[in-house]
Amino acid sequence: MKTVAFQKCINPDCGATFDVGQTLTGCKLCGDLLDIEYDWCSAAIPKSMKEFQTRWQNRRFPLDFSGVWRFRDLFPFAADAMICTIGEGQTFLQNAVCLGNHIGMWPGQLWLQYEGMNPSGSFKDNGMTAAFTHARLVGARRVACASTGNTSASLALYAASNGFQGIVFIGSGKIAFGKLAQALDYGARTLQIEGDFDTCLMRVREVATHLGLYLMNSVNPFRLEGQKSIMYRVLESLSWQPPDWIIVPGGNLGNCSAFGKAFGELKALGLIKKIPRLAVINASGASTLHQLFTAGLRWNHGHVDEAQIKAHYASLESQGIHPHTVASAIEIGRPVNLKKALRALDLMNGVTCDVSDEEILEAKALIGRFGLGCEPASAATIAGLKRLLERQIISRSDRVACVLTGHGLKDPDATVYYHTGINTKNARQPAPEATWGSRANKPIRVDDDLSAILAAIGASGDIGADAGAGYVPTALELPFVEY
Ligand SMILES: *Cc1c(COP(=O)(O)O)cnc(C)c1O
Ligand SMILES: [Zn+2]
């Protein structure tokens, strides 16, 4: 296949381009981040997004089955034969009527994009399938990443199923057990490094250079190409009508960057008319983007004030501040895609917000109570939405799509902690005060005795309506989006 794709430095003063056959984690001239770009004039682009829908009829063909590669015309960097897919992206956009009502949204306006449905249980598979495809294209055999957990789980899964050796670096004591279990199970060589995610990432970049390992972190621009498809699926579920808002948690900021790129390209190609607004939610214990954005840092046509970023990091360092949050997937102090995230915020007229661990866990319990399990980082979206509604930045009548980035079973300890106060997670940490969440659903200890059990279950009719669910519509009563 004659490729129409190339790599391009995001720094407008540099703009160097490189072949897609090269393995790079930054611009060879100035070290800045790279984009994958396309010569769209030579690419075969569908005339309308509706053409992608018809691919589903051809789902016995793995590339049309994949919720990522179905859209491959929108990131044509690899020949079909190179594509590493295991059927990722079978995710859905759920209309969260009851949850929306509960937090005061207009009926039917809140939607949840449930990326926990992916093969490894997080949105990372969308990007990993693309990066592995590039790794295969350049003939790599060994792949590596630093991870707060989900990147390593996804890498390990794709390595095992596509014949690569996987090597993952995780910070000691920082990983949720569901995620660690996946890396071990799929046979990745797992190195626990003394230090946090930022330290691990620095190390793995160094080691990758030494050993010629293919780096799978989101500095790898091919990952972001695959992650664009999350937004294509959101649009598809809404019959190609962009929502008013996209809300996403911010960690290393690859996902929000990919979303910005996706919408920028669709608009430029004339495939959508409107670009939604973007809200990126940080945990308050790891809120570099929010702090810098609030302090006025902007994309500024690519001329980002690097001195402001450096000064911010120096001040964190001098105060000994390290990222800390219950939402381990976004416990990142130095997000590598910061500049791309600023570009996405610029393009999408975006906002940032930070939310406390308490708000995250309360929001997670609420999402769970209405029937979708997600991990703490994902719940930052609903916590952020509540804040943005209060501040009237988002209106109750807006149509909002929140990305639930990871599955609830990734981090069962966080859930058990919220409901019981039992801290199974970090043995090194002293047991906390028994602070149960406001929706704590504590297991009831009961003797093996019939009348005690009957009493514990309670009188009939008491169905624990504490979440205020009220009337729950059936599937057929949900808003139906006409094609
Ligand atoms: C990786 C991850 C995030 C953060 O995404 P970034 O692209 O790093 O900003 C959020 N939630 C979950 C569940 C993740 O695995
Ligand atoms: Zn450059």
Side-chain angles (χ1 to χ4, degrees), residues 121-124 147-151 179 197 218 223-224 227 248-258 280-282 327-332 335-337 375-379 403-407 410:
S122 85
F123 80 83
K124 297 294 197 299
S147 179
T148 60
N150 281 332
T151 303
K179 307 175 187 182
F197 173 82
S218 57
R223 270 209 24 215
L224 306 203
Q227 287 169 210
V248 63
N252 233 346
L253 307 177
N255 222 14
C256 58
S257 301
V280 184
I281 316 298
N282 277 155
S328 55
I330 51 174
E331 189 178 61
I332 292 174
V336 294
N337 291 299
E375 63 171 281
S378 315
V403 183
L404 296 186
T405 45
H407 198 283
K410 287 283 193 175

Side-chain angles (χ1 to χ4, degrees), residues 212-456:
L213 307 178
Y214 184 96
L215 190 66
M216 284 290 176
N217 280 99
S218 57
V219 284
N220 180 328
F222 292 94
R223 270 209 24 215
L224 306 203
E225 291 308 290
Q227 287 169 210
K228 293 190 304 192
S229 68
I230 301 170
M231 290 300 108
Y232 306 150
R233 296 196 297 275
V234 167
L235 290 177
E236 185 175 45
S237 301
L238 295 174
S239 202
W240 312 110
Q241 300 298 315
D244 298 304
W245 286 91
I246 301 289
I247 306 187
V248 63
N252 233 346
L253 307 177
N255 222 14
C256 58
S257 301
F259 297 173
K261 190 167 187 287
F263 286 113
E265 288 168 353
L266 292 182
K267 183 87 195 309
L269 291 168
L271 289 167
I272 53 168
K273 292 206 180 70
K274 179 187 113 172
I275 293 179
R277 296 188 69 187
L278 174 69
V280 184
I281 316 298
N282 277 155
S284 42
S287 59
T288 296
L289 174 69
H290 177 64
Q291 288 185 40
L292 286 170
F293 194 72
T294 306
L297 188 71
R298 292 293 182 275
W299 169 243
N300 193 23
H301 305 285
H303 301 104
V304 177
D305 184 352
E306 308 266 359
Q308 192 181 349
I309 302 172
K310 282 212 184 81
H312 180 78
Y313 290 156
S315 117
L316 291 181
E317 188 118 349
S318 70
Q319 297 172 72
I321 298 176
H322 294 284
H324 186 75
T325 166
V326 67
S328 55
I330 51 174
E331 189 178 61
I332 292 174
R334 297 173 178 234
V336 294
N337 291 299
L338 178 62
K339 285 172 83 173
K340 286 186 175 178
L342 293 169
R343 184 175 67 180
L345 287 163
D346 184 66
L347 178 93
M348 298 177 70
N349 187 17
V351 299
T352 63
C353 179
D354 69 335
V355 291
S356 69
D357 280 5
E358 213 170 17
E359 289 171 273
I360 288 174
L361 288 178
E362 289 296 336
K364 187 179 115 53
L366 203 56
I367 295 165
R369 183 63 184 77
F370 286 110
L372 274 188
C374 68
E375 63 171 281
S378 315
T381 54
I382 293 296
L385 172 58
K386 286 172 80 172
R387 283 268 196 107
L388 294 167
L389 284 169
E390 273 163 30
R391 291 188 201 146
Q392 301 183 339
I393 293 170
I394 296 184
S395 146
R396 298 180 188 284
S397 59
D398 284 347
R399 178 175 275 192
V400 176
C402 295
V403 183
L404 296 186
T405 45
H407 198 283
L409 295 178
K410 287 283 193 175
D411 191 357
D413 303 81
T415 313
V416 170
Y417 172 60
Y418 174 89
H419 289 287
T420 67
I422 298 169
N423 188 358
T424 52
K425 197 167 190 174
N426 195 340
R428 290 187 309 183
Q429 213 177 281
E433 301 290 299
T435 46
W436 295 290
S438 72
R439 311 193 157 272
N441 181 20
K442 281 184 77 172
I444 304 160
R445 277 193 175 281
V446 56
D447 290 338
D448 182 16
D449 170 82
L450 180 61
S451 57
I453 292 170
L454 294 179

